[in-house]
Every structure is written in C-alpha cells, then in structure tokens.
Amino acid sequence: MTAPAHTAFIVSLHVKPGREEEFLALLTPVLDAMRHEATFVNAVLHRDPADPARFMLYETWTDVDDVVTVQMKRDYRRAYEARLPDLLREPRQAQVWQPLRSDAAPVSPDLSR
C-alpha cells in the first residue's frame, strides 16, 4: 500500500460564545476560495456537539510549503485572519499530519437512495 502524497492540517478553533455565526460567515468564503487552489485536496469543517463554540478544520493539501508560503497569504484570507484574534477564546492550534491511508464508502450510482 502506498501512502498518499498529501499533508493534513488539523486546526482547532475555540470561538468566543455567541460569536459562532460571525466566525462561520468569515470562514465560509475562505473555504469556498480554497477549493480552487492547485494544491488543495479537501477540507472538512467539524463542530463539537458538546460545545457549539469549538470547531475543528481538517484540510488536506499536496504541498505543505505552498500552504505556508503562498496559501496563508492569499487575499481571500485577509478579512478572516484580521478578525480571528478577536473571535477566538484562545489562539488556534494547528497540527501537521502525514496521512497514511484514506478510505471512503463506495458511491452509489443510484442517487435516489
């Protein structure tokens, strides 16, 4: 089995209570723009069911250096990055992981199910 040639970023964000919708309104256009980047693979936004102010973002990219030197400086991230310190209860935490395997359920050709 060959490991995927990707890098995963796991970002934990704890938003101040009552600021969740403002946070999501700033993050949504960033996620929408990221999908058009050449080194982007996917992103999944998660919310803690026990604490609606805690979010986890799982991003997969093909080039970690591109993410750090190019993607984090994109114009579409400016408003999000500028407001983030005011929205967060604590600094975001980011981890870099090397995926070893990826699995998904088979896609059914019958979309009516």
Side-chain angles (χ1 to χ4, degrees):
M1 180 183 338
T2 307
H6 301 129
T7 300
F9 293 85
I10 299 174
V11 184
S12 298
L13 304 120
H14 202 170
V15 178
K16 293 175 182 173
R19 308 289 293 273
E20 299 90 351
E21 294 310 313
E22 183 180 356
F23 167 74
L24 290 170
L26 284 166
L27 179 58
T28 297
V30 173
L31 295 174
D32 290 344
M34 283 175 17
R35 78 171 57 111
H36 302 289
E37 299 293 351
T39 62
F40 177 78
V41 177
N42 65 5
V44 181
L45 178 63
H46 303 263
R47 181 179 238 164
D48 183 342
D51 181 353
R54 285 190 59 212
F55 298 88
M56 189 268 286
L57 185 59
Y58 180 94
E59 300 177 26
T60 309
W61 296 81
T62 61
D63 185 340
V64 67
D65 292 329
D66 179 66
V67 172
V68 174
T69 61
V70 177
Q71 301 306 325
M72 293 302 293
K73 297 173 180 144
R74 294 284 191 203
D75 286 341
Y76 61 76
R77 290 181 177 266
R78 286 196 181 151
Y80 171 76
E81 294 292 339
R83 296 281 299 130
L84 204 54
D86 183 51
L87 293 174
L88 296 179
R89 293 173 72 174
E90 57 197 41
R92 67 182 155 188
Q93 297 177 13
Q95 297 179 315
V96 178
W97 291 77
Q98 209 60 56
L100 297 179
R101 178 177 166 157
S102 178
D103 296 286
V107 177
S108 172
D110 180 6
L111 299 178
S112 64
R113 298 192 314 157

